[in-house]
Amino acid sequence: SKGLVEALKNINSHKAKPYEPSEPPFEVDASWEWARLGDIYLLKSGTTVNVDCELASGDHPYFKVGDMNSPENQFMMVKSGRYVLETSIPKKSLLEKGTIIFPKRGGAISTNKKRILAQKSLVDLNTMGIVVHEPMSVMYTYHWFSNIDLSTLNSGSTIPQINNGDVEPLWV
């Protein structure tokens, strides 16, 4: 609804960025409203963790982009061999449960993998996440984003790369 879009835009108003002018891809029923991804969702990039802080168990899993290939992580990211203690990382680096992650750097972009974090987690620098604010649905967002071909967002030349500016203007 229009009220929902405005509320989500207010949450993200601190990062108002101009987008290239374009029209939404098609008309929708009057009860729906188009919005730019960057206006209603928060994008967060992964972080680097000092190898000394990586543990076999701990407070939060630390996923590397390759962990998306694990058979246990085909939809939800649930299994990691690396964990960190909450006291050893900046809290702002944590991604919330329900964040949709995807590769943002290197050849992994062409795999087009998207996964949902099953719990608060850290992800590596080759990964980006779409943080879903309530009352938006994680599943709606996941299914919508599953239709986006990541290779079409690639802005890198020699090394494929996706930046916030490649994702934020997408119409939702």
Side-chain angles (χ1 to χ4, degrees):
S1 77
K2 294 187 188 299
L4 170 63
V5 170
E6 284 308 309
L8 291 168
K9 282 182 178 180
N10 286 336
I11 290 171
N12 292 320
S13 63
H14 66 282
K15 60 181 184 116
K17 295 180 180 157
Y19 302 116
E20 291 290 324
S22 71
E23 294 295 319
F26 53 87
E27 288 193 32
V28 293
D29 182 270
S31 64
W32 288 74
E33 182 180 358
W34 284 104
R36 301 289 191 139
L37 183 139
D39 288 336
I40 59 174
Y41 296 103
L42 176 65
L43 286 173
K44 283 184 79 173
S45 288
T47 189
T48 301
V49 171
N50 185 319
V51 72
D52 296 336
C53 295
E54 292 182 22
L55 306 169
S57 64
D59 299 319
H60 304 288
Y62 175 47
F63 294 108
K64 296 202 176 190
V65 74
D67 290 326
M68 291 183 193
N69 297 325
S70 172
E72 297 89 350
N73 296 336
Q74 293 301 303
F75 174 62
M76 300 283 286
M77 296 298 288
V78 294
K79 185 171 192 249
S80 177
R82 292 167 296 280
Y83 290 82
V84 293
L85 298 176
E86 185 142 344
T87 55
S88 67
I89 52 148
K91 287 190 182 192
K92 68 179 184 174
S93 298
L94 282 171
L95 295 178
E96 295 295 320
K97 174 183 177 179
T99 297
I100 300 161
I101 63 169
F102 57 96
K104 73 168 198 169
R105 185 174 294 131
I109 290 172
S110 66
T111 67
N112 213 27
K113 289 184 170 86
K114 291 103 176 179
R115 304 289 189 261
I116 301 171
L117 294 178
Q119 65 186 67
K120 258 186 193 184
S121 307
L122 278 140
V123 298
D124 72 359
L125 277 177
N126 296 315
T127 309
M128 183 181 287
I130 299 173
V131 181
V132 180
H133 302 292
E134 284 196 31
M136 288 298 287
S137 162
V138 170
M139 291 310 299
Y140 171 84
T141 306
Y142 174 80
H143 288 295
W144 167 81
F145 194 58
S146 291
N147 291 306
I148 303 296
D149 181 356
L150 296 177
S151 64
T152 65
L153 304 177
N154 173 19
S155 64
S157 52
T158 309
I159 298 174
Q161 184 166 306
I162 298 173
N163 296 306
N164 287 26
D166 302 317
V167 180
E168 287 178 335
L170 295 174
W171 285 104
V172 182

